[in-house]
Amino acid sequence: MLQVSRVTASVGILLVVLDWSVARPVHAQATFVGLGTFGASRSEAHDISADGTVIVGVVFEFPDSTHGVFRWTRNQSTIYRELVRTKVAVSDDGTTVVGSRYFGIPGLDEAFRWVPDEGLFEGLGDFPGGAFDSAAYGVSADGSVIVGSGNANQSPRAFRWTAEEGMVDIGPGTAYGISSAGNVIVGAAETAFRWTAATGMVELAPLPGSIGSRAYAISPEGTVAVGEQIFRATQSSVRQEASRWIEQGVISLESELWASTVALDVSVDGTSIVGGGIPRLSGARTAFFWSPQTGMVGVQDLLISLGATGLDGWALTQAYGVSHDGRTIVGQGIHNGRSEAWVATIPEPSSIIQLAVAAAGFLGFAVFKAIRSNLRVTV
């Protein structure tokens, strides 16, 4: 209890410091924009291009009962009406969107790629001889390589798709994330894995006591993977713990202020991570931002501390994607009772820290030390 109280106090101090700092340099102010629901009843933003200018997601329940996938920029939004079933992803260059469409029959899904500028919406099929059931979860920088899972003999198999080779089975499980070059893939079978053509599937290190793990994303250069470790909470329930895999091993992003967390995306340098979890105090699903300097903080709290406006009536519940520089975040929230996509920008993470330290001196250092003390590393 004493340890939790100290961390709580430290986080409170950090937020006070940030509140003080945003009254100073204008460039430190964050921004927040709700994207609306595009004429449907709800929307979710799932991914973002490398430069933060293109956002993709899904929209549900148009008046004619159809769903859709959207591609949004600050100047234009494009929607393709389709029965979209899973989380969608976008290439680093913002040109290609991938996901899964639903044909109205359980177990009958198909991975797709959508290239709005070319007017292309293409189903990717499934493994030869397998049941017609596939989903795409990740795409390379230029849209040429797509990863996901298909059905082979009633068993999920990870795939790597190209126009030349089609859908190639790379092993059991599901491929969720892919590097910009398309040569490093991460995902999960019984445990998290990392795949390259040279090594095949290699298990990513688990944390002690975990009963499973999943890797959902990998940094563009293919060096840092993020996801979750799964622990037994009670005999009938489990607890998720956001994790970051680096060359030296696995780092837990655990914070004593959060009961359960999962990491969903990571910046190019591997130091800005976003996802969602359940804070112990509120018990409500909350989007989070993590860096080695800040530890795990709620995105909404961070935005407010950095001077963002437009958050009245919002509860930011999940952060799905982050731009390469770690400054632009997209996700889903509840806005006046309705699910809605959003996009937020923050100052460069280093600027946040510099401002905080300048404002609080040794007190800021104590805060960061307290937060960092929650990390543990397993090799």
Side-chain angles (χ1 to χ4, degrees):
M1 181 64 67
L2 180 60
Q3 184 179 5
V4 174
S5 298
R6 285 176 178 170
V7 175
T8 303
S10 298
V11 172
I13 292 169
L14 175 60
L15 292 179
V16 169
V17 169
L18 292 175
D19 279 333
W20 183 91
S21 66
V22 297
R24 298 172 67 82
V26 174
H27 70 270
Q29 185 164 332
T31 65
F32 174 83
V33 177
L35 301 186
T37 58
F38 305 93
S41 63
R42 56 194 176 103
S43 65
E44 302 173 0
H46 289 164
D47 203 7
I48 188 167
S49 62
D51 63 3
T53 61
V54 179
I55 299 168
V56 301
V58 294
V59 284
F60 299 99
E61 300 168 20
F62 285 103
D64 60 1
S65 299
T66 61
H67 304 331
V69 53
F70 73 80
R71 178 179 180 270
W72 180 96
T73 70
R74 295 194 181 275
N75 298 321
Q76 181 185 22
S77 59
T78 306
I79 299 172
Y80 190 94
R81 293 200 179 192
E82 186 67 61
L83 286 174
V84 179
R85 189 166 176 85
T86 64
K87 189 168 82 74
V88 297
V90 67
S91 56
D92 288 351
D93 63 10
T95 63
T96 304
V97 186
V98 302
S100 175
R101 57 179 176 176
Y102 177 51
F103 290 95
I105 302 173
L108 189 61
D109 297 351
E110 183 184 20
F112 71 77
R113 65 168 176 159
W114 176 40
V115 187
D117 292 344
E118 297 179 8
L120 171 69
F121 193 98
E122 175 187 20
L124 303 185
D126 212 316
F127 294 123
F132 195 74
D133 185 13
S134 62
Y137 295 101
V139 57
S140 64
D142 62 0
S144 63
V145 185
I146 298 170
V147 298
S149 68
N151 190 324
N153 298 319
Q154 305 303 311
S155 176
R157 305 287 295 186
F159 73 73
R160 181 179 187 271
W161 180 97
T162 63
E164 297 77 20
E165 297 182 285
M167 195 172 287
V168 176
D169 186 340
I170 63 171
T174 300
Y176 290 111
I178 185 170
S179 63
S180 293
N183 59 343
V184 183
I185 298 168
V186 295
E190 293 184 0
T191 57
F193 68 77
R194 182 180 189 270
W195 178 96
T196 67
T199 64
M201 279 189 180
V202 177
E203 181 185 37
L204 290 171
L207 284 168
S210 70
I211 60 174
S213 58
R214 299 184 183 95
Y216 291 118
I218 190 163
S219 60
E221 295 179 352
T223 57
V224 179
V226 299
E228 64 179 352
Q229 302 278 334
I230 303 170
F231 295 87
R232 181 71 64 188
T234 67
Q235 191 170 9
S236 59
S237 65
V238 297
R239 176 179 61 85
Q240 301 161 289
E241 191 170 304
S243 301
R244 174 177 179 252
W245 285 272
I246 56 177
E247 184 179 356
Q248 293 84 353
V250 58
I251 296 176
S252 168
L253 307 186
E254 179 187 24
S255 166
E256 301 226 7
L257 298 177
W258 297 71
S260 185
T261 55
V262 56
L264 297 175
D265 203 9
V266 57
S267 63
V268 70
D269 63 2
T271 63
S272 297
I273 297 171
V274 299
I278 301 174
R280 295 185 186 279
L281 291 179
S282 69
R285 172 64 61 175
T286 301
F288 76 71
F289 172 86
W290 180 96
S291 74
Q293 295 84 8
T294 64
M296 188 174 291
V297 294
V299 172
Q300 190 156 350
D301 290 338
L302 181 62
L303 292 173
I304 292 171
S305 296
L306 292 170
T309 60
L311 284 155
D312 291 344
W314 278 90
L316 305 187
T317 56
Q318 191 82 292
Y320 285 109
V322 64
S323 58
H324 278 200
D325 63 6
R327 294 187 57 201
T328 307
I329 306 167
V330 297
Q332 173 191 6
I334 304 301
H335 183 209
N336 295 327
R338 184 169 67 172
S339 177
E340 185 177 330
W342 53 265
V343 56
T345 61
I346 60 175
E348 293 183 15
S350 59
S351 297
I352 298 174
I353 305 308
Q354 290 167 4
L355 287 167
V357 172
F362 75 92
L363 189 58
F365 176 77
V367 171
F368 305 140
K369 183 177 179 181
I371 294 174
R372 282 200 301 267
S373 67
N374 287 318
L375 303 181
R376 64 178 190 265
V377 180
T378 301
V379 178

